[in-house]
Amino acid sequence: MRSRIRVFQVDAFTSQRFSGNPAGVVLDADALSTDDMQALARELNNGDSAFVLRADADDHDLRVRFFTTRREAAFVGHATVAAHAVLASLGLSPRPRQKQRNGIVQVDTIVGAAPPRIAVHLPVPAMRRSLAQRELLEVLAALGLAPTQLDPSCPPIIAGDSSTRLLLGLEHGASLAQLQPDPVALSRLSEQLDVPGYFLFSRRTALADVLLESRMFCPALGIAEDPVSGNAHALLGAYLWQQGLLGPVGEAAAGSGAIEFSGAQGHHMGRPGRVGVALNLEGGRLDSISIIGEAVVVFETTLEF
């Protein structure tokens, strides 16, 4: 007996269609095999697609599997925002406890806005290691950068648990527009460094209402450039906190509460987006990180499998 599934194209971390980060969202995906999901993700040809399934235990409300065009991923921030925005657009009850391959996260739908805002609450990620000088020079050459373009206050570091990224701070935002990445060289370095993505950011930006701007390259995952990454902004939030780079805002929130900022990404690709980041503090300690954003449905269709 053939199964009918609903497929949505969604732009995440934006309130405008044809901007932000596109994601596929597939509802009612329980009847699909892993091969079906991979084939459909390849056909949709987004950076990532989210397949929503029924819960299989009492400790969560739904399951989501994420696929790039090449492989399954443990967790994807923008596709999570997209999936819960679809549920909200259909008027379905929120399902806040989301289970995926790397565990369970809390996802809140903030009502009262159109489109609704989605907040994904994540554990504090690990800061793994710094780069050796030789490694750093190879990365810079692959990106078309000189060492003098780096922000001296932001030592490069590999961060993250299941989705590791190299965080690389640049002194001036204008340098982001001048990047000439070599995808072959970056893919080769990804194997050597065990880091599939490179997240470059600058705190000196001419854009209004944001703390920083960024770009991210993941050719090893089949994504030449990722328009807007929620996961990378969560890594960056933890990094800035640990480096003491949030300035007076961080000092004011040294007890409990939240530090919030916004980052801009995607405008270099003609797909501008914004990611809200909230660092949730308890007793002066970083307890969790939330990534916050909107998403809009571009179109929907039905497929039979």
Side-chain angles (χ1 to χ4, degrees):
M1 185 174 179
R2 298 177 70 84
S3 299
R4 294 175 65 85
I5 58 172
R6 289 178 288 176
V7 181
F8 298 79
Q9 179 79 0
V10 184
D11 288 338
F13 293 121
T14 179
S15 60
Q16 301 292 327
R17 289 185 300 174
F18 315 127
S19 58
N21 200 348
V25 175
V26 181
L27 300 186
D28 316 312
D30 299 86
L32 300 182
S33 68
T34 296
D35 288 343
D36 290 337
M37 294 182 194
Q38 185 63 78
L40 184 49
R42 186 169 57 248
E43 186 70 16
L44 293 173
N45 201 33
N46 294 303
D48 300 276
S49 293
F51 292 80
V52 181
L53 305 102
R54 291 187 298 269
D56 57 9
D58 293 336
D59 62 351
H60 60 279
D61 303 306
L62 81 168
R63 291 180 294 133
V64 182
R65 294 180 68 180
F66 301 96
F67 287 82
T68 72
T69 57
R70 294 184 179 181
R71 67 190 73 174
E72 186 169 5
F75 173 79
V76 180
H78 82 277
T80 292
V81 170
H84 288 264
V86 166
L87 298 178
S89 75
L90 296 174
L92 300 176
S93 298
R95 303 179 198 175
R97 299 174 300 168
Q98 174 181 300
K99 179 181 178 180
Q100 61 275 321
R101 201 171 74 185
N102 66 349
I104 297 173
V105 296
Q106 179 81 13
V107 183
D108 292 328
T109 301
I110 304 170
V111 296
R117 289 175 63 77
I118 310 297
V120 185
H121 309 295
L122 303 172
V124 178
M127 297 294 115
R128 295 201 169 274
R129 70 175 182 91
S130 301
L131 294 184
Q133 184 66 14
R134 175 188 57 80
E135 294 173 326
L136 176 58
L137 292 176
E138 287 186 298
V139 168
L140 293 179
L143 291 166
L145 288 169
T148 54
Q149 292 174 278
L150 297 178
D151 183 343
S153 300
C154 298
I157 194 166
I158 295 174
D161 300 299
S162 58
S163 299
T164 56
R165 300 290 183 262
L166 172 61
L167 305 182
L168 198 64
L170 302 184
E171 178 73 10
H172 298 285
S175 296
L176 290 167
Q178 302 166 2
L179 294 172
Q180 296 181 328
D182 180 339
V184 174
L186 289 176
S187 294
R188 174 179 53 79
L189 287 169
S190 288
E191 293 185 11
Q192 296 177 11
L193 301 174
D194 192 25
V195 56
Y198 305 83
F199 188 67
L200 287 76
F201 65 94
S202 177
R203 297 178 297 144
R204 296 186 64 178
T205 174
L207 299 175
D209 304 322
V210 295
L211 180 67
L212 49 87
E213 61 176 306
S214 59
R215 296 180 74 176
M216 188 166 78
F217 306 97
C218 305
L221 298 177
I223 304 171
E225 181 168 358
D226 193 336
V228 193
S229 173
N231 179 61
H233 275 86
L235 298 178
L236 182 58
Y239 170 84
L240 294 174
W241 168 259
Q242 293 185 18
Q243 295 292 326
L245 295 175
L246 290 176
V249 176
E251 295 168 10
S256 298
I259 302 170
E260 299 184 15
F261 67 87
S262 295
Q265 193 182 349
H267 46 286
H268 297 96
M269 303 176 64
R271 299 194 63 95
R274 295 288 189 273
V275 180
V277 181
L279 306 181
N280 307 306
L281 307 178
E282 289 291 340
R285 179 181 62 87
L286 183 56
D287 183 67
S288 65
I289 300 177
S290 303
I291 53 173
I292 306 163
E294 302 154 325
V296 290
V297 175
V298 178
F299 64 81
E300 61 178 283
T301 189
T302 302
L303 292 179
E304 287 191 354
F305 265 79

